[in-house]
Amino acid sequence: MKIASHEVVAKREERAVLVSLVSGELRRQAELAAYSLQELVLLAETAGLEVLETISQNRETADTKWLIGKGKVEELKALLLAHDANIAVFDQELSGAQVRNLEESLDVKIIDRTQLILDIFAQRAKTREGILQVELAQLSYLLPRLSGQGKNLSRLGGGIGTRGPGETKLETDRRHIRERIAELKRQLQEVVRHRTLHRERRRKSGIVQVALVGYTNAGKSTLLNRLTNADVYVQNQLFATLDPTSRALKLPSGKEIVLTDTVGFIQHLPHDLVAAFRATLEEVNEANLILHVVDSSSAMREEQMAVVAEVLEELGAHQKSCLVVFNKTDLIPANEQELLAATGDYIRMSAMEDADLERLKLLLQSRLSGHTLTFRLPAARGDLLALLYRVGDVIAQRTSEENDMLEFDVSINDEDYAKNGHLLVPFVVTATA
Ligand SMILES: Nc1nc2c(ncn2[C@@H]2O[C@H](COP(=O)(O)OP(=O)(O)OP(=O)(O)O)[C@@H](O)[C@H]2O)c(=O)[nH]1
Ligand SMILES: [Mg+2]
């Protein structure tokens, strides 16, 4: 697939050819393989590379020495020369030996998908926690690939794959890296301790927490901004958001909850990165409800949802109650919208439509308010009435014929009710789930 012509006058510094090996199961799923490569193009562009061409090879298994076959290496070499490219990016993770062999044969910088993602994260990291996490992930990735490499890593030079907080450390030896990893873990633990205290306070205050999760570019930050007037960076690119942002959201009932935006997921998310970002993603584990935001207009919607489910499982958050938000419905025809469905609760909407945002808030409200109870109170008990309005949302109200008793159907906030509702218990007449 040809991407750019030779006529490009102003050459960017890092000119890349992207390479993909289609092997094993993937050979029978051509669409998936093509999508992965297409995503690699986006990742490369997000990282600031100029993508000149992509090539892929169909092969039963990976070659241990070069990943791709010997013949394909020759083809790639000619291509790199023709384009005057100085970097080859592989869609599959490479071993240290494969990187060295490819570098020797091709005489360009070699990086893989994992390094590309780590590089984007390194460019994006802004908070102390984010920076520490990215460096930890970079070094964890690097360490097992150092073996047999001898003296140092100077071959990497600067630029892609070496940017960010890990950069200066790449020149150091394994022992040094191990020490640095231990130090980073210590510092992260300290940050995590602070976050935990903060979260504890929030939990004790009884505020309901909702986390936005989803594939990168699904529209999580857009939703946070539109719902809460936050000012989070929104871009039509991968991994626009790195650090979690929490904002208060007022539901139509007047009740406030906390909504948190999180880093997007992607297929083949480097394991080291998931591990390093575990602390950030703890927000997800703490949430009372997860909003799984889906880009309905993506042809790979189902696959992206599966990736999100996988990462949630890895985080141990797959059992949490979840509401699927099929976002961006404005981008697809009405008859296709009907196909959007998920097991469990879901809503089809567009973050661009005010009416849809209101529907989402109402849905959140009913999902978060637990169950419904009916109370019958003496009309004279103003104290109990006030309490009742505090522990839930009144859905319906009736007055007895004699006007001395009031009946309420109330959508109960379980936590509030457990804490403050004991005075109301004698007045419950029916309970529905
Ligand atoms: N047409 C349309 N575009 C949307 C909608 N929601 C979000 N977008 C666009 O989709 C792109 C990605 O939105 P973001 O909110 O940055 O997505 P994100 O899920 O936060 O992405 P990451 O932070 O990269 O994980 C932006 O260009 C948004 O303007 C929607 O409902 N309709
Ligand atoms: Mg975002």
Side-chain angles (χ1 to χ4, degrees):
M1 185 191 349
K2 190 121 178 176
I3 300 223
S5 78
H6 282 291
E7 275 91 46
V8 183
V9 192
K11 280 186 189 173
R12 279 203 244 166
E13 252 176 52
E14 301 190 292
R15 301 165 46 81
V17 170
L18 311 191
V19 189
S20 167
L21 174 73
V22 182
S23 64
E25 268 301 292
L26 217 53
R27 299 182 80 188
R28 281 165 286 284
Q29 299 165 290
E31 206 180 90
L32 267 186
Y35 171 60
S36 184
L37 188 54
Q38 197 186 324
E39 202 171 61
L40 191 71
V41 173
L42 279 178
L43 285 168
E45 286 173 353
T46 302
L49 301 183
E50 181 182 348
V51 179
L52 302 157
E53 193 160 340
T54 65
I55 62 163
S56 57
Q57 179 176 37
N58 235 298
R59 207 170 187 271
E60 194 49 52
T61 55
D63 185 276
T64 43
K65 223 170 154 199
W66 294 288
L67 186 86
I68 50 176
K70 183 90 180 90
K72 203 71 181 177
V73 174
E74 292 307 318
E75 195 185 317
L76 176 58
K77 185 167 187 154
L79 206 60
L80 289 162
L81 270 174
H83 280 300
D84 190 20
N86 51 10
I87 178 162
V89 185
F90 286 74
D91 201 19
Q92 287 72 34
E93 203 163 286
L94 298 168
S95 70
Q98 284 170 336
V99 171
R100 281 190 295 281
N101 294 332
L102 286 163
E103 266 176 352
E104 247 160 54
S105 306
L106 300 169
D107 201 27
V108 294
K109 189 191 288 186
I110 305 293
I111 66 167
D112 61 17
R113 182 188 183 96
T114 299
Q115 268 182 298
L116 196 58
I117 293 175
L118 288 174
D119 191 85
I120 295 170
F121 273 65
Q123 290 178 47
R124 291 262 196 286
K126 293 281 180 302
T127 62
R128 180 170 137 76
E129 182 177 9
I131 291 167
L132 289 173
Q133 290 177 131
V134 172
E135 185 178 355
L136 177 59
Q138 284 182 321
L139 294 181
S140 307
Y141 172 85
L142 199 62
L143 193 58
R145 288 172 173 74
L146 281 179
S147 58
Q149 197 150 276
K151 23 191 196 332
N152 58 43
L153 283 168
S154 53
R155 62 167 185 89
L156 280 175
I160 189 89
T162 68
R163 265 192 285 262
E167 190 165 23
T168 55
K169 312 301 178 295
L170 295 178
E171 297 289 330
T172 56
D173 62 12
R174 294 181 75 179
R175 183 180 53 80
H176 206 130
I177 290 184
R178 279 213 194 83
E179 283 168 9
R180 181 68 189 151
I181 285 179
E183 173 58 23
L184 285 168
K185 284 186 174 164
R186 258 195 306 277
Q187 290 185 21
L188 266 172
Q189 261 171 10
E190 189 54 26
V191 180
V192 168
R193 206 175 57 81
H194 277 285
R195 288 178 73 87
T196 312
L197 286 177
H198 190 67
R199 265 205 309 270
E200 274 299 303
R201 262 205 305 279
R202 269 206 310 228
R203 193 167 38 201
K204 281 207 184 103
S205 68
I207 295 175
V208 173
Q209 299 180 52
V210 175
L212 291 159
V213 304
Y215 209 79
T216 176
N217 210 41
K220 301 176 293 298
S221 302
T222 305
L223 271 173
L224 182 82
N225 287 346
R226 299 274 281 134
L227 287 168
T228 71
N229 290 322
D231 191 18
V232 171
Y233 181 59
V234 166
Q235 265 307 316
N236 194 11
Q237 65 184 19
L238 306 183
F239 301 120
T241 306
L242 203 58
D243 299 307
T245 304
S246 297
R247 287 284 181 278
L249 165 64
K250 202 172 224 156
L251 295 176
S253 64
K255 211 159 242 128
E256 278 205 349
I257 62 166
V258 169
L259 192 61
T260 302
D261 187 17
T262 63
V263 59
F265 301 163
I266 196 169
Q267 57 176 335
H268 321 301
L269 193 65
H271 182 80
D272 290 330
L273 204 56
V274 178
F277 274 75
R278 194 169 278 274
T280 299
L281 290 165
E282 275 299 307
E283 298 283 340
V284 177
N285 277 327
E286 288 296 319
N288 302 73
L289 174 70
I290 290 174
L291 286 190
H292 174 175
V293 185
V294 179
D295 177 355
S296 312
S297 69
S298 165
M300 290 292 144
R301 190 182 67 228
E302 300 284 337
E303 287 77 9
Q304 297 183 345
M305 290 175 73
V307 168
V308 172
E310 256 171 54
V311 181
L312 285 178
E313 183 154 1
E314 195 168 340
L315 292 169
H318 55 298
Q319 307 277 34
K320 285 205 163 283
S321 66
C322 182
L323 170 65
V324 177
V325 178
F326 287 108
N327 191 33
K328 304 198 193 183
T329 51
D330 55 305
L331 297 180
I332 58 174
N335 60 337
E336 278 177 37
Q337 289 180 24
E338 283 155 28
L339 300 175
L340 302 170
T343 45
D345 281 355
Y346 61 86
I347 179 173
R348 304 167 181 148
M349 64 168 292
S350 162
M352 305 302 168
E353 298 287 339
D354 288 337
D356 283 356
L357 293 167
E358 289 311 310
R359 277 200 302 127
L360 175 61
K361 284 190 211 168
L362 283 170
L363 188 59
L364 272 176
Q365 182 166 302
S366 75
R367 270 305 300 263
L368 292 171
S369 55
H371 55 289
T372 307
L373 289 180
T374 300
F375 298 88
R376 188 182 291 137
L377 305 173
R381 291 294 300 271
D383 57 329
L384 292 181
L385 279 178
L387 180 58
L388 192 144
Y389 272 92
R390 259 216 338 263
V391 298
D393 300 316
V394 174
I395 298 167
Q397 180 172 347
R398 295 171 291 274
T399 312
S400 68
E401 278 178 18
E402 296 79 25
N403 268 329
D404 58 340
M405 296 294 277
L406 298 175
E407 212 170 270
F408 296 90
D409 296 332
V410 182
S411 170
I412 288 292
N413 175 327
D414 285 332
E415 245 174 90
D416 255 3
Y417 188 62
K419 242 187 290 175
N420 307 311
H422 54 281
L423 290 175
L424 288 167
V425 173
F427 301 97
V428 174
V429 285
T430 58
T432 48

